[in-house]
Amino acid sequence: MKKEVKIDLMSELPEHEIEALAKCFLPDILDYFNSEEGKKEFEEWKKNRIDKVSDK
């Protein structure tokens, strides 16, 4: 099921052009986050995020 998300980017770019750009970047983003480097960086980000929340 596809979920529509409306995001106001306050941009002069038409929405269809923003969507086209997102579709171009998505495969590379997915490849990175599925790589060992991407997984490691994501785990570090989650750890840092938990540390910041617990510091408050």
Side-chain angles (χ1 to χ4, degrees):
M1 183 164 105
K2 184 178 177 184
K3 182 179 180 183
E4 283 289 322
V5 177
K6 185 73 171 170
I7 300 173
D8 182 10
L9 299 174
M10 298 180 67
S11 171
E12 294 182 21
L13 288 173
E15 189 171 332
H16 70 276
E17 290 184 12
I18 295 170
E19 288 179 8
L21 283 170
K23 287 179 183 178
C24 289
F25 290 123
L26 184 60
D28 290 333
I29 293 169
L30 292 174
D31 286 346
Y32 176 74
F33 281 104
N34 286 324
S35 71
E36 289 303 315
E37 180 185 1
K39 289 176 184 177
K40 180 182 176 189
E41 188 172 318
F42 181 60
E43 290 302 319
E44 289 174 11
W45 175 85
K46 286 194 307 187
K47 181 185 178 298
N48 290 336
R49 181 130 170 97
I50 291 169
D51 291 345
K52 285 180 184 179
V53 170
S54 62
D55 287 344
K56 289 185 178 180

